[in-house]
Amino acid sequence: MSSCSPGLKTTSTCCAARTPPELMDWVGGVETDERVRARHERYLALVPDGTGAQFRITIPGHPEGVGIVGYWRHEWRGEPALESGWSVEAEYRGQGIAPDAVHLMLEAARAAGETLSVHAYPSVDNPASNAVCRKAGFTLLGEEDFEAAGRVLRTNDWVYELAEPPRA
C-alpha cells in the first residue's frame, strides 16, 4: 500500500470535473463541456443500473478526493466483461495511490458480487498506467486497437480475473 493509504467513496456528484488535457491525450483527446456532462451522467447511472461503480479516491487530509477509479460493463471479444479506468490528480501521482485504489476497486467489485474479467486498456505509450496495471495484479494479454472518443488507440489489454481468489 502507498504511504497515503487511499480509500474509496462512492460517487454521487463529484466526477464531472474536466480531466486535465495531458491525461486526455491517452484516451482520445480533450473533452467538451457536453462530453464531460455526458460522462458524469454515465457515472451516476452505473450503480442504479447495476452496470458498475465509480469511486472518488480519498487520502488522509483530502476527503474531497484526489482522483477517480471505477468499473463498468463492457464486451470483450463478444463476451461480457468489465472495463476499468482511473485518474489521479497530477500532484498525487507517483506515490502508489493509483495501484492501491485499483486494488480497492477490485475488492469492491468482488464484494458487489462481480465475477467477470476486468480489463484495462492503457495506451502502449503510457508507461504510468501500464505500471498501475502491473502493480495492481493485472495480466498483460497483449496489444489491441481500442476505440475511444471516436479515435482508434493502440493499447495494451490487461485483465484481472475477479472469479479467482484475491491476489496477495
Side-chain angles (χ1 to χ4, degrees):
M1 286 291 221
S2 73
S3 61
C4 291
S5 301
L8 300 181
K9 289 187 180 178
T10 303
T11 59
S12 58
T13 59
C14 70
C15 285
R18 184 179 305 282
T19 303
E22 70 272 10
L23 292 181
M24 292 310 296
D25 287 344
W26 300 116
V27 293
V30 176
E31 295 178 298
T32 63
D33 288 343
E34 182 178 316
R35 284 184 53 206
V36 170
R37 283 190 293 277
R39 176 170 50 92
H40 180 67
E41 292 302 319
R42 285 192 311 274
Y43 288 168
L44 292 177
L46 290 173
V47 173
D49 291 350
T51 57
Q54 194 74 359
F55 304 94
R56 286 185 291 157
I57 302 169
T58 62
I59 60 173
H62 296 280
E64 74 285 357
V66 298
I68 58 172
V69 62
Y71 66 91
W72 50 91
R73 298 274 176 209
H74 171 70
E75 190 172 287
W76 183 77
R77 298 182 182 171
E79 297 293 324
L82 298 172
E83 182 180 343
S84 61
W86 54 86
S87 175
V88 174
E89 293 176 14
E91 60 268 33
Y92 300 100
R93 293 184 206 138
Q95 300 176 40
I97 294 170
D100 288 352
V102 171
H103 274 292
L104 292 172
M105 178 269 301
L106 293 167
E107 290 173 18
R110 187 178 278 118
E114 295 288 358
T115 58
L116 296 172
S117 299
V118 181
H119 290 261
Y121 301 96
S123 169
V124 295
D125 298 322
N126 184 339
S129 283
N130 282 286
V132 169
C133 291
R134 187 182 73 258
K135 291 174 184 177
F138 283 69
T139 300
L140 179 61
L141 298 179
E143 292 186 13
E144 184 168 308
D145 288 336
F146 188 82
E147 187 174 335
R151 287 179 30 192
V152 176
L153 307 172
R154 191 69 181 159
T155 67
N156 281 321
D157 182 4
W158 293 84
V159 66
Y160 186 97
E161 298 297 342
L162 284 176
E164 295 176 2
R167 299 175 185 163

